Amino acid sequence: MATSRDLNNTLEQVLNSGASAEVIGHLLRTARERLRMEVGFISEFIDGMRVFRFVDSAPGVNLIASGGADFLAQSYCQRIVDERAPQLISDARTCSAVVDLKATQLLPVGAHISVPITLSDGHVFGTFCLFSRYAVPGLNHRSLALVRAFAEMVALLLEERRMAGAEYEQNNTAIHHVSTFFTEHRVSFSPSSIVDLNTKEEIGTELVPAISLPSSLFSNPFLLLREADRLGLSQLSGVAMMEGSLAALTHLSADQFVSMNVTPQLIMQFDFNQWLRSDCSRLVLGLSEHDIVDDYTSLKARLYRLKESGVRIAVVHAGAGFASMRHILQLQPEFVKLDADLTCGIHKDKGQQAMLEALMRFCRSQGSILMAEGICSGEDEAYLRTAGVGFAQFDSTS
């Protein structure tokens, strides 16, 4: 287990690292602005004191400053870490768990969200906090999920600094570069309609990632999302995906769904259940046949929890990846999507037609619904409809 001196040295190194400090500052400001709070801070617990290491405040608000400190025992943070107070409070003046604290009346504190920053060895480093002097009735489980995700990111940055010099500098630069895309809202999602081939009605939409202001390293959004997984930044990409999907659901009717493609790493690292309530059955998560799954047992356990809440699973790019039928057998998806390379031109290609027939038989035996993606001509559409494919996406370039 790390000692207090180790942790203090780690924080000092982070504070002296422009890249790490900038990422943490971006996370804090992003959370404060999205949740419409007046103040955000990251605290460190040292010898019974709560030290404000990073502070971000709305213009004109000067309630606390970086480097300031107070007694931990008299703080919201201590009660939340001890689980004597809830992590999310819409109005502290009506919450019995904190109404007796001086800050509740003197500031006063209205809305308050605080999440422990817990390192991998179980040590609570401090807290990621947001508060305002007024109540914010709209705060909900998604607000808390956002702060929890960002608190995990701060813990990651603190622990990354324990790596050896050159390795840390390289990783730290990459983390800063990739995280900027998410904190500066340069990752967005465009809708691609999924339709019933027989009625032509839209039954749902797939969210396709896109990058604005690409860099020399990242112009392909799929490469960016996979690099985020590699760096342990799945919290950031997961937040972006969930915010995009929840926004898309508000524009769809109650019987339509939103689909988005995810990686096995994202499924394992990001807690989708924190974000979901009644919208669960309207979310479809797609796993590609191109993705390697080293541990199906762990992945299936995570997917089982999601399915229990109503989330549906799809296997995408079917027929084009190395996983062949194994994904379908292991994951038992509700939907299987025939890869666009096997869809485009299918009306005249005997090999593609044979693959379609084999997949249709296999999907029926497993209780999965086969979709087609990337339909690029009327002839292909007619063939697929006659063959019994009910749902599809059209090639947006056709």
Side-chain angles (χ1 to χ4, degrees):
M1 179 175 291
T3 66
S4 297
R5 178 172 295 180
D6 292 334
L7 295 168
N8 292 342
N9 288 340
T10 297
L11 182 62
E12 184 179 356
Q13 291 166 333
V14 169
L15 290 170
N16 292 330
S17 169
S20 290
E22 191 172 346
V23 172
I24 291 175
H26 281 164
L27 291 173
L28 200 54
R29 175 160 295 183
T30 298
R32 183 185 63 76
E33 291 180 345
R34 288 192 194 182
L35 300 183
R36 305 182 307 282
M37 296 290 220
E38 288 187 296
V39 180
F41 67 85
I42 289 170
S43 68
E44 180 186 10
F45 300 165
I46 302 177
D47 298 329
M49 300 295 289
R50 178 179 62 165
V51 182
F52 303 115
R53 292 302 191 182
F54 291 84
V55 176
D56 183 82
S57 302
V61 178
N62 299 297
L63 299 175
I64 58 174
S66 296
D70 59 13
F71 289 106
L72 185 58
Q74 300 299 316
S75 71
Y76 279 67
C77 293
Q78 185 65 69
R79 291 197 181 181
I80 288 163
V81 168
D82 292 342
E83 299 183 354
R84 290 182 289 150
Q87 293 182 353
L88 186 153
I89 302 171
S90 296
D91 188 352
R93 288 160 293 191
T94 63
C95 178
S96 60
V98 295
V99 73
D100 64 305
L101 291 174
K102 290 181 179 179
T104 304
Q105 303 301 328
L106 294 180
L107 278 177
V109 175
H112 189 280
I113 299 181
S114 180
V115 173
I117 298 171
T118 306
L119 304 182
S120 59
D121 60 7
H123 177 88
V124 176
F125 176 84
T127 53
F128 190 119
C129 294
L130 304 165
F131 73 89
S132 289
R133 290 168 293 182
Y134 48 80
V136 181
L139 296 177
N140 57 25
H141 63 283
R142 291 168 188 155
S143 310
L144 182 57
L146 174 72
V147 178
R148 285 174 174 167
F150 285 5
E152 288 189 31
M153 279 296 308
V154 174
L156 170 73
L157 289 168
L158 290 172
E159 297 202 285
E160 282 289 324
R161 194 58 185 94
R162 298 180 188 176
M163 297 167 60
E167 182 184 2
Y168 166 74
E169 294 302 333
Q170 183 178 10
N171 226 40
N172 187 253
T173 300
I175 286 174
H176 175 255
H177 188 76
V178 172
S179 66
T180 298
F181 280 92
F182 297 99
T183 57
E184 294 183 356
H185 310 290
R186 290 160 60 187
V187 179
S188 59
F189 297 88
S190 303
S192 174
S193 294
I194 302 171
V195 301
D196 185 319
L197 284 179
N198 295 304
T199 66
K200 296 300 179 69
E201 293 181 352
E202 184 178 9
I203 62 167
T205 188
E206 179 181 338
L207 297 184
V208 181
I211 290 177
S212 61
L213 300 175
S215 70
S216 58
L217 293 177
F218 296 107
S219 58
N220 184 308
F222 299 101
L223 179 61
L224 175 68
L225 293 173
R226 289 178 182 275
E227 181 67 359
D229 280 342
R230 186 189 73 81
L231 293 169
L233 303 181
S234 294
Q235 298 300 329
L236 288 184
S237 57
V239 166
M241 288 182 177
M242 288 307 300
E243 290 184 333
S245 66
L246 293 167
L249 285 173
T250 64
H251 300 291
L252 298 175
S253 62
D255 59 346
Q256 295 175 322
F257 63 84
V258 166
S259 173
M260 56 185 181
N261 293 344
V262 297
T263 61
Q265 291 86 350
L266 183 63
I267 290 287
M268 296 302 297
Q269 295 174 17
F270 185 76
D271 190 351
F272 289 92
N273 289 88
Q274 287 192 77
W275 291 78
L276 301 170
R277 287 293 187 269
S278 58
D279 297 322
C280 296
S281 63
R282 300 177 64 199
L283 180 65
V284 176
L285 299 178
L287 288 156
S288 174
E289 269 205 3
H290 295 289
D291 287 324
I292 300 173
V293 176
D294 296 320
D295 184 356
Y296 273 108
T297 301
S298 296
L299 180 61
K300 286 164 66 176
R302 294 283 288 191
L303 292 177
Y304 178 79
R305 184 176 170 222
L306 286 168
K307 290 182 178 183
E308 283 273 279
S309 65
V311 174
R312 290 177 285 179
I313 305 301
V315 167
V316 302
H317 307 134
F322 59 82
S324 186
M325 307 298 185
R326 191 179 182 197
H327 267 12
I328 303 173
L329 279 171
Q330 291 285 342
L331 305 180
Q332 294 294 297
E334 283 75 11
F335 302 104
V336 174
K337 293 175 70 173
L338 182 67
D339 187 76
D341 287 344
L342 298 175
T343 298
C344 192
I346 195 170
H347 73 281
K348 59 183 179 182
D349 189 295
K350 299 296 184 183
Q352 290 173 232
Q353 293 170 11
M355 176 64 79
L356 172 64
E357 184 178 347
L359 269 174
M360 287 191 70
R361 286 201 304 268
F362 186 66
C363 286
R364 288 194 192 105
S365 72
Q366 299 301 307
S368 301
I369 297 171
L370 185 66
M371 295 184 181
E373 59 182 345
I375 296 178
C376 56
S377 71
E379 293 90 344
D380 290 336
E381 178 188 352
Y383 182 88
L384 289 164
R385 184 170 54 249
T386 301
V389 176
F391 306 133
Q393 287 172 261
F394 289 82
D395 184 352
S396 59
T397 62
S398 62

